[in-house]
Every structure is written in C-alpha cells, then in structure tokens.
Amino acid sequence: MGGVLQNLTYYLSEHPSIVGFRWSHSQSWGSTWSFLFSSIAIYLIASLFLHLVLLLFNRRRPIPMGPIPAVHSLAMALVSAAVFLGILLATAAEIRDTRWFWRRSKTPLQWLLCFPLGTRPTGRVFFWSYVFYLSRFLQLFRTFFWIFRRRKLTFYRLFHHPILLCMSFLWLEFSQSFQVVAILCTTLVYSVVYGYRFWVAVGLPSSCFPIIVNCQILLLGCNLVCHLGVLLLHFSKGGCNGIGAWVFNSVLNGALLLLFLNFYVKMHMKRKTRKKPVEDDSSTHSNSGRGETWKDQ
C-alpha cells in the first residue's frame, strides 16, 4: 500500500514534467490569446448553426447519441478527480519546498488565496491548472448534447462554458491568485456532478434530491467567499499577484452568477407549473421533471 501511495505521489506531483512545467505561448498547447478566442468563436458558431439546422428541419424528437453522454460524463468525473488529487498533492509539495517563500509573510491559507507579487506560472500547481484548463474544452461538448436532446438553447447554456474557459485561461496567463482553491472546489464538485450524471446515464435510479443544482449553488457560494478573501488579503498583506485578472475574473463570476440565478428561477417556476394540473399525480410529475431537469444542468 505504501508503494502505491509513493508511486501515486511521484506521478502526480514529483514527476520531472510536472515539477519543470512552464506556461509558455510557444510550448503549451492552447496557450495563445488567438487560440482562446478562435476556439470560443468556433464553439459559438457550431452551437448556433446546429441549433438552427434542427429548427429548420423541425425535428422535435431527441437525436439518439447512444453511450456518448455517459462516456463523456465518466471521462469528466475521472479527469476532475485526477486534477483534484494532483493539485492537492502539488500544493502540499510547493508549500513544503517553499517555492514562493510563503513562510516569510503568509500562512498556508493566505498563500492559497493570494500568490506573492512576481509569481510566475511554473511548477506543479500550474501544471494541474493547465490540465484543468484543457479539461474545459472537453466540457464544451455538454452544450452539443443539450442541443441534440432538443432542449431550449438559453443564453446561460450557450455562454456558461466559454466563460469558465476564459477564466481558467486567465489563471495561467497572469499567475492569478485564488486559482488553487477555485480548482480544488471546482474539481471536487465536478467529480460528484459528473459521477452522478454517469450514474443516471447508464440507467441507475436518479436522486429525488436536486444534487447538481445544489452543487452548483455551493460552488458559486464558495467562489464568492474566496473572492472576498482575496480582496481583503490584497489590501492588508501588500498585494496579490494577478489582481488585474482577478478583477476581470470577478466580473465574469458575477455575470455567471446572475445568469445562473435567472436560469434557476425560470426552471423553478416551470417545475411549479408542472405540479398544478393534476393534484393526485403531483409526486409523479415532480419526480419525472426533477430527473429530466437536474441531470442535464
């Protein structure tokens, strides 16, 4: 057992390619601004085009996708779990090695939220931040699954994933503070969410409790608290690295929160209207609506 843990620690935090990682426009795939903007543009055009094509052909039934959504959910759950474990071990190793000399002026919690000024995107933590950034491209396929299922393509659904992709790019480009806690929280939640989606996709019973939406609310609340912590540390501890990108990131998070609340309220109102017509069948309508809605968030 000890040998397994040692091998796991080595391959997740001590491997030379992880320790020597450097975010570079010439060496890291997808690391340029042009790549980011072109990827988002292609995603938006493809999503709108596919949506319009299905509308023109007036296809109302969902398009069969077989096991693809289940495989995608399983892949996202495994990648998220790997990134969570990897960045957790990487963070412990970076603190141990005092790469950013946090012991001189910061506690571990302060270091997690506020990188010292002059921090460069190199080393273990930024390697896993880069893997997390790449996983965002895999996450984009959720929108196409949504379209193939003939669900309504809302503004929130269309721009949710590109906003997250843009934020993860800023973390790397500007060595932005706060990203360690954000990645830990996000990947932990994603492991649960996508694991549950895989569970439901393979035909196992869904939960009567809205797991996915509550996980999203928990994640947004955690991000809000962490953003406030960064702000306090920036003014009380002499500044945090990448604060300009953090301000822009906060604006994107605020926009995402407003979009989600609007989406959540509309969905909640729709569920209420579904319960009204037949009083005796309210539980049946509630369960079917919940299973259909929550698993596709």
Side-chain angles (χ1 to χ4, degrees):
M1 191 63 169
V4 173
L5 292 176
Q6 286 182 354
N7 289 332
L8 189 64
T9 302
Y10 173 78
Y11 285 109
L12 292 180
S13 64
E14 302 295 342
H15 194 277
S17 61
I18 296 177
V19 176
F21 172 78
R22 178 175 177 268
W23 170 259
S24 170
H25 289 180
S26 60
Q27 298 178 2
S28 305
W29 184 85
S31 60
T32 61
W33 287 96
S34 59
F35 183 90
L36 175 68
F37 291 138
S38 60
S39 299
I40 293 176
I42 291 172
Y43 159 81
L44 293 175
I45 293 171
S47 300
L48 292 172
F49 176 77
L50 184 60
H51 180 66
L52 290 175
V53 167
L54 294 179
L55 285 178
L56 289 175
F57 282 95
N58 197 26
R59 186 182 179 91
R60 297 181 179 178
R61 294 183 178 180
I63 298 176
M65 290 178 286
I68 294 177
V71 172
H72 178 269
S73 296
L74 179 60
M76 283 296 302
L78 293 176
V79 169
S80 298
V83 174
F84 173 81
L85 184 58
I87 199 167
L88 187 65
L89 293 173
T91 299
E94 293 289 355
I95 292 176
R96 181 198 65 210
D97 295 345
T98 62
R99 176 176 295 274
W100 288 304
F101 303 101
W102 60 270
R103 296 180 191 271
R104 296 181 180 178
S105 59
K106 297 179 183 294
T107 66
L109 179 60
Q110 290 171 348
W111 176 83
L112 289 173
L113 292 175
C114 181
F115 288 159
L117 296 176
T119 299
R120 295 290 180 263
T122 61
R124 302 176 180 92
V125 165
F126 289 100
F127 170 84
W128 287 109
S129 181
Y130 178 58
V131 175
F132 179 77
Y133 163 67
L134 295 180
S135 71
R136 296 292 196 176
F137 290 96
L138 179 61
Q139 192 181 18
L140 293 176
F141 287 98
R142 290 294 306 178
T143 301
F144 299 111
F145 299 158
W146 183 270
I147 295 172
F148 282 133
R149 285 172 176 155
R150 299 301 294 122
R151 306 289 172 80
K152 184 179 179 182
L153 187 61
T154 61
F155 187 84
Y156 170 78
R157 170 60 55 182
L158 188 62
F159 284 94
H160 172 71
H161 297 314
I163 288 176
L164 298 178
L165 179 64
C166 185
M167 286 193 297
S168 59
F169 179 88
L170 293 176
W171 293 348
L172 286 159
E173 183 68 13
F174 297 100
S175 305
Q176 184 189 310
S177 298
F178 153 82
Q179 63 179 285
V180 176
V181 175
I183 294 174
L184 284 171
C185 293
T186 302
T187 51
L188 180 61
V189 168
Y190 278 11
S191 299
V192 175
V193 167
Y194 282 100
Y196 174 72
R197 281 172 174 162
F198 173 73
W199 174 277
V200 174
V202 296
L204 296 172
S206 60
S207 172
C208 60
F209 179 74
I211 294 176
I212 293 179
V213 170
N214 281 278
C215 283
Q216 290 176 330
I217 293 174
L218 180 64
L219 180 59
L220 289 171
C222 179
N223 283 339
L224 180 61
V225 172
C226 290
H227 274 288
L228 292 175
V230 173
L231 187 63
L232 292 174
L233 289 172
H234 176 69
F235 289 107
S236 63
K237 297 296 180 179
C240 299
N241 199 69
I243 197 65
W246 173 85
V247 171
F248 185 68
N249 203 330
S250 300
V251 173
L252 292 178
N253 265 311
L256 195 61
L257 178 60
L258 291 176
L259 288 173
F260 174 77
L261 291 176
N262 180 61
F263 177 80
Y264 177 76
V265 169
K266 288 182 177 179
M267 184 176 60
H268 185 68
M269 295 301 295
K270 183 183 291 187
R271 289 183 63 234
K272 274 191 172 181
T273 57
R274 285 180 180 178
K275 291 181 181 180
K276 287 182 180 179
V278 181
E279 191 72 23
D280 294 337
D281 295 334
S282 59
S283 61
T284 304
H285 284 292
S286 175
N287 289 334
S288 62
R290 187 183 292 111
E292 179 182 341
T293 305
W294 301 129
K295 69 181 180 181
D296 289 320
Q297 290 308 310

